[in-house]
Amino acid sequence: MSTPAFLLHEYFGLLIYLAILLPATFISLPHSTSYFIPTSSPLTQTSSTDRPEHAFLTPITARPAVTMLWDVVGMGVVMVWWGGRMKGWFEGKGDKKAGGDRVVGESELEERQGRTKKMLGRLYEAGVSTLAGSLVFYVILSLMGAPLNSHWDKTALLALHLSILTVLPVVYTLGMPSLYDKGTYARFRMTRLFCEFKPETPLERALVYPAVGTLTGAWLGALPIPLDWDRPWQSFPLTIAFASILGFVAGGFVSWGYTVAEGMYNEVTEKAKPVAVEEERAGKKSKKKKAVKA
């Protein structure tokens, strides 16, 4: 299998960008609510009024459902862009530059139209898969303790949030698995990646590790909720959503670090092979000389 064009320095730069963009999306977009839905009175702190929170946090914590609604919109846009970047790397287009202003022939126009159609088809697959994944996450969250008789809207938005981070970029990059895919390798790629957890290339690690980091972060983010601190930011599901974002970013950096370490190890191993061969040959020669003298 050919290795997709995957530039580690570019990947690292985009991870830095994501590390800023994703948390900023979660934090800043809820402040835009007043521009679309004017309120007659300013938002106020919902709990622990004896320990006031910073005014910047109030639009985020006062209405968790609105915050999560903004979150899924922002995360969806960012993950579509991220999935497009990953898809370009997977198809070997990551190092191709645009040709500038030039005359485009009919054949190239047809090729572009075909690519656009394919992109829209892949986006449709990713959207349907994300919605299906959100249903699965909703069931899992309910089984793990999310309230069933209340906060169902927040649970649904959290499930969609998790699905956007874990399902959307993967399906947008690799496509939906099909029995009609050529070869067993492509047909069971999803099983190998997300059931056996055996990514084999840097690109596959860049898909698997952030997904695992997202779920790990979400699980850790649930820990502060039952504590009796009674702080506004403990409102369900804010800590889970924000921690899952941090987990996604952390998983990306872990995948980058693993790939760099693997490359360094392989480089050292390759350099050490000739030395080991020479030492082995020298040892054999010395044994022969000793045998002749004896």
Side-chain angles (χ1 to χ4, degrees), residues 231-257:
R231 304 300 294 172
W233 55 264
Q234 289 177 271
S235 300
F236 175 80
L238 298 180
T239 57
I240 300 175
F242 190 71
S244 68
I245 293 172
L246 298 182
F248 181 93
V249 174
F253 280 110
V254 170
S255 71
W256 177 85

Short mmCIF file of all heavy atoms in Angstrom, two decimals, residues 231-257:
data_model
loop_
_atom_site.label_atom_id
_atom_site.label_comp_id
_atom_site.label_asym_id
_atom_site.label_seq_id
_atom_site.Cartn_x
_atom_site.Cartn_y
_atom_site.Cartn_z
N ARG A 231 -20.64 25.28 41.40
CA ARG A 231 -20.14 26.35 40.53
C ARG A 231 -20.90 26.34 39.21
O ARG A 231 -21.29 25.27 38.72
CB ARG A 231 -18.65 26.19 40.27
CG ARG A 231 -17.80 26.12 41.51
CD ARG A 231 -17.92 27.38 42.35
NE ARG A 231 -17.39 28.54 41.66
CZ ARG A 231 -17.52 29.79 42.09
NH1 ARG A 231 -18.21 30.03 43.19
NH2 ARG A 231 -16.99 30.78 41.42
N PRO A 232 -21.14 27.48 38.60
CA PRO A 232 -21.91 27.51 37.35
C PRO A 232 -21.28 26.69 36.22
O PRO A 232 -21.99 26.10 35.41
CB PRO A 232 -21.94 29.00 37.00
CG PRO A 232 -21.77 29.71 38.30
CD PRO A 232 -20.85 28.84 39.11
N TRP A 233 -19.95 26.66 36.17
CA TRP A 233 -19.29 25.93 35.08
C TRP A 233 -19.43 24.41 35.23
O TRP A 233 -19.07 23.67 34.30
CB TRP A 233 -17.82 26.31 34.98
CG TRP A 233 -17.01 26.14 36.23
CD1 TRP A 233 -16.72 27.10 37.15
CD2 TRP A 233 -16.39 24.93 36.71
NE1 TRP A 233 -15.96 26.57 38.17
CE2 TRP A 233 -15.74 25.24 37.92
CE3 TRP A 233 -16.32 23.63 36.22
CZ2 TRP A 233 -15.04 24.29 38.65
CZ3 TRP A 233 -15.61 22.68 36.96
CH2 TRP A 233 -14.98 23.02 38.15
N GLN A 234 -19.96 23.94 36.36
CA GLN A 234 -20.20 22.51 36.53
C GLN A 234 -21.50 22.05 35.87
O GLN A 234 -21.83 20.86 35.92
CB GLN A 234 -20.26 22.15 38.02
CG GLN A 234 -18.92 22.22 38.73
CD GLN A 234 -19.05 21.92 40.21
OE1 GLN A 234 -19.28 22.82 41.02
NE2 GLN A 234 -18.93 20.65 40.56
N SER A 235 -22.24 22.96 35.27
CA SER A 235 -23.52 22.60 34.66
C SER A 235 -23.31 21.56 33.57
O SER A 235 -22.40 21.68 32.74
CB SER A 235 -24.19 23.85 34.07
OG SER A 235 -24.44 24.81 35.07
N PHE A 236 -24.16 20.55 33.57
CA PHE A 236 -24.12 19.51 32.54
C PHE A 236 -24.55 20.13 31.22
O PHE A 236 -25.54 20.86 31.16
CB PHE A 236 -25.07 18.38 32.94
CG PHE A 236 -25.22 17.30 31.90
CD1 PHE A 236 -24.27 16.31 31.78
CD2 PHE A 236 -26.32 17.28 31.05
CE1 PHE A 236 -24.40 15.32 30.83
CE2 PHE A 236 -26.46 16.29 30.10
CZ PHE A 236 -25.50 15.31 29.99
N PRO A 237 -23.83 19.88 30.10
CA PRO A 237 -22.65 19.02 29.94
C PRO A 237 -21.39 19.81 29.60
O PRO A 237 -20.58 19.37 28.78
CB PRO A 237 -23.07 18.17 28.75
CG PRO A 237 -23.81 19.15 27.87
CD PRO A 237 -24.44 20.18 28.79
N LEU A 238 -21.23 21.00 30.19
CA LEU A 238 -20.16 21.91 29.76
C LEU A 238 -18.77 21.31 29.96
O LEU A 238 -17.93 21.37 29.07
CB LEU A 238 -20.29 23.23 30.52
CG LEU A 238 -21.58 24.02 30.29
CD1 LEU A 238 -21.57 25.31 31.09
CD2 LEU A 238 -21.77 24.31 28.81
N THR A 239 -18.53 20.74 31.15
CA THR A 239 -17.19 20.21 31.41
C THR A 239 -16.88 19.01 30.51
O THR A 239 -15.73 18.83 30.08
CB THR A 239 -17.06 19.79 32.88
OG1 THR A 239 -18.09 18.83 33.19
CG2 THR A 239 -17.20 20.98 33.79
N ILE A 240 -17.89 18.21 30.21
CA ILE A 240 -17.67 17.05 29.34
C ILE A 240 -17.30 17.51 27.93
O ILE A 240 -16.36 16.99 27.32
CB ILE A 240 -18.93 16.16 29.31
CG1 ILE A 240 -19.26 15.65 30.71
CG2 ILE A 240 -18.74 15.00 28.35
CD1 ILE A 240 -20.55 14.87 30.78
N ALA A 241 -18.05 18.47 27.42
CA ALA A 241 -17.80 18.94 26.06
C ALA A 241 -16.43 19.60 25.94
O ALA A 241 -15.67 19.32 25.00
CB ALA A 241 -18.90 19.92 25.64
N PHE A 242 -16.10 20.47 26.91
CA PHE A 242 -14.82 21.17 26.81
C PHE A 242 -13.65 20.21 26.99
O PHE A 242 -12.64 20.32 26.29
CB PHE A 242 -14.76 22.28 27.87
CG PHE A 242 -13.60 23.21 27.68
CD1 PHE A 242 -13.57 24.11 26.63
CD2 PHE A 242 -12.52 23.18 28.55
CE1 PHE A 242 -12.50 24.97 26.45
CE2 PHE A 242 -11.44 24.03 28.39
CZ PHE A 242 -11.43 24.93 27.33
N ALA A 243 -13.77 19.26 27.92
CA ALA A 243 -12.69 18.30 28.12
C ALA A 243 -12.52 17.40 26.90
O ALA A 243 -11.40 16.99 26.58
CB ALA A 243 -12.97 17.45 29.36
N SER A 244 -13.61 17.10 26.21
CA SER A 244 -13.49 16.28 24.99
C SER A 244 -12.74 17.03 23.90
O SER A 244 -11.99 16.43 23.12
CB SER A 244 -14.87 15.87 24.49
OG SER A 244 -15.60 16.98 24.02
N ILE A 245 -12.92 18.35 23.85
CA ILE A 245 -12.17 19.16 22.88
C ILE A 245 -10.67 19.12 23.21
O ILE A 245 -9.83 18.92 22.32
CB ILE A 245 -12.68 20.61 22.90
CG1 ILE A 245 -14.11 20.67 22.36
CG2 ILE A 245 -11.77 21.52 22.08
CD1 ILE A 245 -14.76 22.03 22.51
N LEU A 246 -10.35 19.28 24.48
CA LEU A 246 -8.95 19.19 24.89
C LEU A 246 -8.39 17.80 24.60
O LEU A 246 -7.23 17.66 24.20
CB LEU A 246 -8.82 19.52 26.38
CG LEU A 246 -9.25 20.93 26.81
CD1 LEU A 246 -9.03 21.11 28.31
CD2 LEU A 246 -8.51 22.00 26.02
N GLY A 247 -9.21 16.77 24.80
CA GLY A 247 -8.76 15.41 24.51
C GLY A 247 -8.50 15.21 23.02
O GLY A 247 -7.55 14.51 22.64
N PHE A 248 -9.33 15.80 22.18
CA PHE A 248 -9.12 15.71 20.73
C PHE A 248 -7.78 16.32 20.35
O PHE A 248 -6.99 15.72 19.60
CB PHE A 248 -10.26 16.43 20.00
CG PHE A 248 -10.15 16.39 18.50
CD1 PHE A 248 -10.79 15.38 17.79
CD2 PHE A 248 -9.43 17.34 17.80
CE1 PHE A 248 -10.70 15.33 16.40
CE2 PHE A 248 -9.32 17.30 16.42
CZ PHE A 248 -9.96 16.29 15.72
N VAL A 249 -7.50 17.50 20.87
CA VAL A 249 -6.24 18.18 20.57
C VAL A 249 -5.06 17.37 21.12
O VAL A 249 -4.04 17.19 20.43
CB VAL A 249 -6.25 19.61 21.14
CG1 VAL A 249 -4.89 20.27 20.95
CG2 VAL A 249 -7.34 20.44 20.47
N ALA A 250 -5.20 16.88 22.35
CA ALA A 250 -4.12 16.09 22.95
C ALA A 250 -3.86 14.83 22.14
O ALA A 250 -2.70 14.44 21.93
CB ALA A 250 -4.47 15.74 24.40
N GLY A 251 -4.92 14.17 21.68
CA GLY A 251 -4.74 12.98 20.85
C GLY A 251 -4.00 13.28 19.56
O GLY A 251 -3.18 12.48 19.10
N GLY A 252 -4.26 14.45 18.98
CA GLY A 252 -3.53 14.84 17.78
C GLY A 252 -2.04 15.00 18.04
O GLY A 252 -1.20 14.54 17.26
N PHE A 253 -1.70 15.65 19.15
CA PHE A 253 -0.29 15.84 19.48
C PHE A 253 0.38 14.50 19.83
O PHE A 253 1.56 14.30 19.52
CB PHE A 253 -0.14 16.82 20.63
CG PHE A 253 -0.26 18.26 20.21
CD1 PHE A 253 -1.36 19.01 20.58
CD2 PHE A 253 0.72 18.86 19.44
CE1 PHE A 253 -1.48 20.34 20.19
CE2 PHE A 253 0.61 20.19 19.04
CZ PHE A 253 -0.49 20.93 19.42
N VAL A 254 -0.36 13.60 20.45
CA VAL A 254 0.20 12.28 20.75
C VAL A 254 0.49 11.53 19.45
O VAL A 254 1.54 10.88 19.31
CB VAL A 254 -0.76 11.47 21.65
CG1 VAL A 254 -0.30 10.01 21.76
CG2 VAL A 254 -0.83 12.09 23.04
N SER A 255 -0.42 11.62 18.49
CA SER A 255 -0.19 10.94 17.20
C SER A 255 1.03 11.53 16.50
O SER A 255 1.84 10.79 15.92
CB SER A 255 -1.43 11.07 16.32
OG SER A 255 -1.59 12.39 15.84
N TRP A 256 1.17 12.85 16.56
CA TRP A 256 2.34 13.49 15.95
C TRP A 256 3.62 13.04 16.66
O TRP A 256 4.61 12.69 16.02
CB TRP A 256 2.20 15.01 16.03
CG TRP A 256 3.38 15.75 15.50
CD1 TRP A 256 3.64 16.08 14.20
CD2 TRP A 256 4.49 16.25 16.26
NE1 TRP A 256 4.83 16.75 14.10
CE2 TRP A 256 5.38 16.87 15.34
CE3 TRP A 256 4.82 16.23 17.61
CZ2 TRP A 256 6.57 17.46 15.75
CZ3 TRP A 256 6.01 16.82 18.01
CH2 TRP A 256 6.87 17.43 17.09
N GLY A 257 3.61 13.06 18.00
CA GLY A 257 4.79 12.65 18.75
C GLY A 257 5.17 11.20 18.51
O GLY A 257 6.35 10.87 18.38
#
